[in-house]
Amino acid sequence: MNDRLYKLSRTSPESTDLAQTAQEMASTTRRDFLKTLGTACVAIAIAPVAEKLSVAEAAKTENTPAERDWSKHKWGMAIDVEKCIGCGHCVVACKEENGVPKEPFYFRTWIERYQQFGDETVVDSPNGGYDGFPPETERAERLDKAFFVPKLCNACEHSPCVQVCPVGATFETPDGAVLVDPDYCIGCRYCIQACPYGTRFLNPITGVADKCTLCYHRIHNGQQPACVENCPTGARLFGDLKDQDGPLNQFLREHKIHVLKPHLNTYPKVFYSGIDKEVR
Amino acid sequence: MPPQVSRLIYIFATIVLAFVATRWWLQPDSFGQYGHYRGKALPAAVAHDPSYVPKTSCADCHEDEAAEHAAGPHRKVSCQICHGPGATHIEDPQTTNIRKPDVAAACLRCHEQRAARPARFPQIVEADHAGGKACNSCHTVHNPSETE
């Protein structure tokens, strides 16, 4: 073994020449290679610059609407469970308004019915409440307590779904809604797993994550979200948390308020009044 | 500078340049405008038209029904709860693009007795209340407190 190494390290004049030539060749090709690479990089860098500049020019000349102030409000919703009659009109309105596929049953908002039999709590939500609710079970005579709880995206201040998105496709807007950018969502479903409230789903038509937007297109045009507008009893109250004298802040002052899963520190902006410990 | 060092510097510079260029190329224009997302997603989210029109729009044409409705207990209940979204109907008023609700189903959806409903909300057991008669054979549909 030592012998062989010795032989290899001993170089004859011819082999030195050969090695030198090889080294020269190698260095030349490397230099050429680097030059080519450099040129290519510059070309790659310049091409999109030119493209982006032309896009920017085009955008300037386009007739763009006036810049909106996205941080003027802080949207939130209050739900008075003691007013909810479980009619399901919010679910229907949400699907009609936002094009949520009717079947298979995906929901941006849905209603759950809690029924308490002694220590046992039964929760059901047939089709999310889309068709209303069937009569209580045959054990109705043993029923201690029952109530409806509408659910939707909790518009968390610290959203787990936003934290896990690998591409920045889901985000909290400056006015507090949590939205999905359908052009950048890659459909990886991380956010669906991360949401502790189960409010997200993968839209089978668009192939991207979908969720309640607080009807962002409606609230920015001076309207209420579809579910709020179509609630016959006023169980849902939508408003601006920055408006200190507004109806939402008034409601929050006048009622005992709970949020769902407060121990997760998600700081929801959907506030519930009158829910029981089974819900939280 | 020894050539092996300068070569390394060139290679490193090339990689950095390539990274910056690729990032520039792949990142959307408005990324980071408001946060770690595409700023243009906000106007895009606002850009589509609502299907449910404002509550007051219906009264512009249907004055009689609106007046009747406003006098009854359902005055705070939107027309579109029973009649469905009205955006297409407003553009092109036809009887085909607005819902004519099945009266019994529409009433019972809210007013049939359910234990989970708040006790103070008016509820009926349909069989006991009217014995299978249609709701609108006694109640006026747009103002159900009136009975015929």
Side-chain angles (χ1 to χ4, degrees):
Chain A
M1 185 69 186
N2 282 342
D3 248 354
R4 275 184 66 201
L5 280 173
Y6 179 66
K7 272 178 191 164
L8 279 170
S9 63
R10 271 183 69 201
T11 47
S12 61
E14 302 90 54
S15 66
T16 322
D17 282 352
L18 269 175
Q20 267 178 357
T21 329
Q23 226 173 31
E24 267 171 26
M25 273 174 69
S27 74
T28 321
T29 25
R30 188 186 292 154
R31 185 170 296 142
D32 279 352
F33 170 73
L34 289 179
K35 270 185 192 165
T36 324
L37 192 67
T39 324
C41 283
V42 169
I44 288 171
I46 283 174
V49 168
E51 195 183 311
K52 286 207 175 195
L53 287 177
S54 65
V55 168
E57 283 299 315
K60 263 181 211 163
T61 51
E62 256 174 51
N63 193 13
T64 45
E67 193 73 17
R68 286 170 191 268
D69 185 3
W70 301 102
S71 53
K72 208 164 83 185
H73 304 280
K74 199 78 175 172
W75 306 114
M77 193 185 284
I79 295 174
D80 192 348
V81 166
E82 284 164 8
K83 280 186 181 172
C84 180
I85 57 168
C87 63
H89 282 125
C90 50
V91 184
V92 176
C94 177
K95 289 207 177 204
E96 296 266 11
E97 180 68 45
N98 297 300
V100 179
K102 198 180 162 202
E103 277 169 12
F105 278 96
Y106 292 117
F107 304 97
R108 289 184 175 195
T109 185
W110 70 99
I111 305 174
E112 289 171 2
R113 174 168 61 183
Y114 285 71
Q115 296 175 73
Q116 215 176 323
F117 304 95
D119 289 340
E120 186 197 356
T121 307
V122 178
V123 184
D124 68 341
S125 183
N127 294 345
Y130 187 89
D131 304 307
F133 281 81
E136 279 76 14
T137 51
E138 65 280 359
R139 298 187 292 167
E141 70 282 351
R142 282 182 45 230
L143 188 67
D144 291 326
K145 187 160 64 175
F147 52 94
F148 294 108
V149 182
K151 296 251 173 110
L152 71 160
C153 167
N154 278 249
C156 308
E157 198 82 46
H158 297 167
S159 318
C161 57
V162 172
Q163 289 168 33
V164 299
C165 181
V167 294
T170 186
F171 54 93
E172 200 197 327
T173 65
D175 49 5
V178 178
L179 301 184
V180 179
D181 182 352
D183 292 352
Y184 274 78
C185 176
I186 55 172
C188 71
R189 301 169 173 86
Y190 276 134
C191 56
I192 298 170
Q193 297 216 1
C195 176
Y197 305 104
T199 62
R200 285 173 166 258
F201 60 95
L202 196 87
N203 190 318
I205 297 163
T206 57
V208 298
D210 204 336
K211 66 178 291 297
C212 164
T213 61
L214 292 175
C215 279
Y216 209 61
H217 60 294
R218 293 176 65 87
I219 61 181
H220 269 276
N221 294 311
Q223 284 179 275
Q224 299 271 300
C227 59
V228 176
E229 185 140 329
N230 285 285
C231 179
T233 61
R236 291 169 183 251
L237 179 68
F238 176 80
D240 184 1
L241 289 165
K242 278 190 179 170
D243 181 5
Q244 282 305 319
D245 302 322
L248 183 58
N249 273 313
Q250 205 176 333
F251 183 90
L252 297 183
R253 279 197 294 273
E254 288 170 359
H255 292 76
K256 291 194 179 71
I257 297 295
H258 293 286
V259 293
L260 300 182
K261 302 188 183 180
H263 56 281
L264 296 177
N265 290 334
T266 52
Y267 299 99
K269 289 192 287 293
V270 174
F271 305 95
Y272 285 85
S273 161
I275 52 170
D276 228 331
K277 66 178 189 302
E278 291 81 17
V279 184
R280 283 167 247 159
Chain B
M1 194 183 285
Q4 66 270 35
V5 175
S6 57
R7 267 185 227 134
L8 273 177
I9 289 173
Y10 291 146
I11 292 171
F12 188 70
T14 314
I15 290 171
V16 168
L17 188 70
F19 173 78
V20 170
T22 316
R23 189 170 184 275
W24 221 85
W25 183 46
L26 291 178
Q27 200 176 52
D29 283 337
S30 55
F31 200 89
Q33 195 178 348
Y34 307 111
H36 188 75
Y37 56 93
R38 203 170 61 100
K40 281 188 183 149
L42 287 176
V46 176
H48 69 106
D49 293 328
S51 345
Y52 283 89
V53 295
K55 281 182 191 177
T56 48
S57 310
C58 306
D60 293 347
C61 301
H62 304 278
E63 288 162 16
D64 297 345
E65 287 83 355
E68 204 180 341
H69 181 247
H74 286 162
R75 58 189 166 276
K76 285 184 181 169
V77 178
S78 167
C79 306
Q80 295 167 94
I81 289 183
C82 292
H83 290 287
T88 47
H89 181 73
I90 275 197
E91 274 176 26
D92 174 28
Q94 299 286 330
T95 49
T96 47
N97 58 16
I98 197 81
R99 194 183 302 153
K100 186 175 194 296
D102 171 12
V103 172
C107 300
L108 292 175
R109 186 166 181 141
C110 294
H111 290 288
E112 176 72 270
Q113 171 83 45
R114 292 281 178 273
R117 288 193 173 136
R120 63 175 180 275
F121 183 77
Q123 298 164 61
I124 56 154
V125 177
E126 195 212 356
D128 303 345
H129 182 77
K133 266 205 292 181
C135 306
N136 56 348
S137 63
C138 295
H139 295 278
T140 317
V141 278
H142 288 123
N143 181 0
S145 65
E146 284 179 0
T147 48
E148 284 165 4

